Amino acid sequence: MLSFFSLIFFLSLFSSPCIHARTLPIYTVNPKNISSAVKNHSYTWHDFEKFQDASKGSLIDGISKLKRYFNKFGYLEAEDIVNSTDLFDSNLERAITRYQEKLGLPVTGKLDSPTLSAIMSPRCGVTDISNYTLKATENYVYFAGQPRWRRNIPLTLTYAFSPKNLINSLSMEDLRSAFKRAFEHWASVIPVKFVESDDYGFADIKIGFYSGDHGDGEAFDGVLGVLAHAFSPESGRFHLDAAETWAVDLVAEKAKTAVDLESVATHEIGHLLGLAHTDVKEAVMYPSLRPREKKVDLKVDDIRGVQALYGSNPNFSLQAFSESDMSSNGGADWRVGEDGIIIRVNWLLVLIWWLCM
Ligand SMILES: *[C@@H]1O[C@H](CO)[C@@H](O)[C@H](O)[C@H]1NC(C)=O
Ligand SMILES: *[C@@H]1O[C@H](CO)[C@@H](O)[C@H](O)[C@H]1NC(C)=O
Ligand SMILES: *[C@@H]1O[C@H](CO)[C@@H](O)[C@H](O)[C@H]1NC(C)=O
Ligand SMILES: *[C@@H]1O[C@H](CO)[C@@H](O)[C@H](O)[C@H]1NC(C)=O
Ligand SMILES: *[C@@H]1O[C@H](CO)[C@@H](O)[C@H](O)[C@H]1NC(C)=O
Ligand SMILES: [Zn+2]
Ligand SMILES: [Zn+2]
């Protein structure tokens, strides 16, 4: 049975002109969809729009700024931006290619619409690639050396809010409940408990809102652009850009540039636990988040990554989770690799294959 389906699975991969092995519909990017908030002329990175369709050999005012962007997120070496010019050179082309591969975009080496749209999207400040991140065999990625909190499992981590670095637009109650939910997403899948503490000085995880340069060499940049960053274990530092319109309820908060606090918190907690950025677009550990987007549910990629560091919460079953996730998202997580799932996805591919004939 299995080999029959597997055969069809491989046949469908090689013979079908209209599907791509990894591009089930859920992954598609609309090339023309650079949201108006991201284009707005008062936001970080809005001016990259003028690079539309630039390719190797182009000389455009401001390209050196784009090179600094690629250096910041790990795609260009520091020596490539010393004395850098506004010439689109082969190093920049290589950086764009690596970026497109890492973010699951069509790989063209050019500044086409999907690529510019991704570049201009607000994102996490943690680098995507560096000698501090390592590609694992799966999609999820760790920091080099796979650091994690080295306490006996099950373990408890305390967290606290910096009394001096809060924002007025959020009540303490809203802030605490958004973070409680964010920590709970991870606590439900690993044997780690998170407990809020009043003792900021001694808390394992220290949370605060900061503006611009705040002393760790990773200055924040105003509205959108970089939203937040957090450090790998066992640092515990978690910083959010005070310039954002942080939202705990996107229905009540109407701003086009609102950023969902629970979504960003859930992502950054992944870094605090030891996960780096993944290339799985639906996963919480993907580096960017659109304004007003809510993305708080862990995906199989996130769960497998964090469980490889801490083990599973005994109350959680990945098998059951994968199956329910599968029926709700049409089977995009076929990389889970359990036979049951492969067979179901095979059926989906057969159907697509048949429709394409
Ligand atoms: C364009 O992006 C917005 C969010 O920025 C999203 O709500 C909308 O569905 C997207 N439109 C298309 C056609 O993909
Ligand atoms: C652009 O930003 C300005 C200032 O924040 C705001 O008043 C305006 O409504 C924004 N426009 C769009 C299209 O988002
Ligand atoms: C950068 O420019 C300075 C001054 O023009 C020069 O001395 C230096 O060697 C250059 N560095 C590189 C890496 O090209
Ligand atoms: C990582 O890069 C930094 C500087 O770019 C260097 O000092 C360090 O030795 C490198 N670490 C490893 C493990 O290669
Ligand atoms: C598992 O669930 C039980 C009962 O709800 C609870 O007492 C226990 O703390 C949970 N274990 C973990 C590791 O969360
Ligand atoms: Zn991140
Ligand atoms: Zn910081």
Side-chain angles (χ1 to χ4, degrees), residues 35 37-38 45 69 99 103 117-125 128 223-228 240 244-247 250 256-268 277 280-297:
S35 80
V38 174
W45 306 331
Y69 174 103
Y99 178 82
L103 275 85
S117 169
I119 290 171
M120 290 162 67
S121 287
R123 53 162 291 154
C124 171
D128 296 337
V223 179
L224 300 182
V226 169
L227 305 173
L240 299 106
E244 309 304 344
T245 304
W246 291 105
L250 287 168
K256 275 195 174 127
T257 49
V259 178
D260 185 58
L261 180 63
E262 184 185 343
S263 302
V264 171
T266 307
H267 174 97
E268 300 301 332
H277 288 148
V280 176
K281 280 206 181 71
E282 306 69 47
V284 159
M285 293 316 294
Y286 192 73
S288 66
L289 182 80
R290 290 190 307 268
R292 307 195 63 78
E293 181 181 5
K294 193 164 174 88
K295 193 196 230 181
V296 298
D297 294 322

Side-chain angles (χ1 to χ4, degrees), residues 15-300:
S15 60
S16 163
C18 70
I19 59 161
H20 182 282
R22 286 178 51 170
T23 316
L24 291 171
I26 195 162
Y27 290 100
T28 55
V29 177
N30 177 352
K32 297 280 176 242
N33 197 3
I34 301 179
S35 80
S36 59
V38 174
K39 275 183 177 173
N40 193 317
H41 287 253
S42 47
Y43 305 128
T44 308
W45 306 331
H46 68 83
D47 53 337
F48 289 165
E49 202 193 355
K50 67 185 175 202
F51 302 139
Q52 177 85 44
D53 296 328
S55 59
K56 196 163 116 185
S58 308
L59 185 61
I60 307 171
D61 198 32
I63 286 277
S64 61
K65 198 173 157 202
L66 183 68
K67 290 179 181 169
R68 286 200 296 278
Y69 174 103
F70 280 116
N71 169 253
K72 178 172 171 58
F73 297 113
Y75 300 91
L76 264 181
E77 304 292 333
E79 59 257 33
D80 295 335
I81 60 160
V82 180
N83 297 348
S84 85
T85 65
D86 286 334
L87 176 67
F88 190 135
D89 55 17
S90 50
N91 287 339
L92 180 59
E93 187 182 52
R94 204 160 50 240
I96 292 170
T97 305
R98 289 172 79 196
Y99 178 82
Q100 290 167 333
E101 286 166 0
K102 175 71 193 177
L103 275 85
L105 301 165
V107 179
T108 61
K110 297 193 180 100
L111 291 169
D112 49 22
S113 304
T115 306
L116 269 181
S117 169
I119 290 171
M120 290 162 67
S121 287
R123 53 162 291 154
C124 171
V126 175
T127 182
D128 296 337
I129 303 167
S130 78
N131 64 0
Y132 300 109
T133 58
L134 270 189
K135 184 86 187 127
T137 50
E138 308 276 342
N139 294 85
Y140 54 81
V141 180
Y142 306 111
F143 296 102
Q146 295 198 10
R148 71 163 178 86
W149 293 80
R150 297 267 154 217
R151 301 182 189 170
N152 290 340
I153 287 170
L155 60 100
T156 298
L157 296 174
T158 56
Y159 65 94
F161 299 97
S162 165
K164 280 194 235 148
N165 296 285
L166 296 173
I167 47 171
N168 297 329
S169 56
L170 284 180
S171 72
M172 205 55 213
E173 190 188 355
D174 283 348
L175 181 67
R176 293 176 61 202
S177 68
F179 272 87
K180 191 172 167 37
R181 290 192 303 275
F183 280 112
E184 194 47 45
H185 296 301
W186 295 100
S188 67
V189 304
I190 51 175
V192 177
K193 281 199 169 71
F194 298 95
V195 178
E196 193 190 333
S197 154
D198 290 333
D199 193 343
Y200 181 72
F202 280 95
D204 297 313
I205 296 170
K206 296 178 164 68
I207 304 164
F209 293 82
Y210 300 86
S211 297
D213 188 352
H214 53 282
D216 59 12
E218 299 285 335
F220 282 130
D221 52 13
V223 179
L224 300 182
V226 169
L227 305 173
H229 54 232
F231 293 72
S232 59
E234 301 176 65
S235 156
R237 279 177 296 166
F238 181 160
H239 300 165
L240 299 106
D241 188 345
E244 309 304 344
T245 304
W246 291 105
V248 291
D249 175 359
L250 287 168
V251 177
E253 174 56 74
K254 304 275 190 250
K256 275 195 174 127
T257 49
V259 178
D260 185 58
L261 180 63
E262 184 185 343
S263 302
V264 171
T266 307
H267 174 97
E268 300 301 332
I269 293 165
H271 290 315
L272 294 169
L273 289 168
L275 293 178
H277 288 148
T278 181
D279 60 0
V280 176
K281 280 206 181 71
E282 306 69 47
V284 159
M285 293 316 294
Y286 192 73
S288 66
L289 182 80
R290 290 190 307 268
R292 307 195 63 78
E293 181 181 5
K294 193 164 174 88
K295 193 196 230 181
V296 298
D297 294 322
L298 301 186
K299 293 292 183 282
V300 169

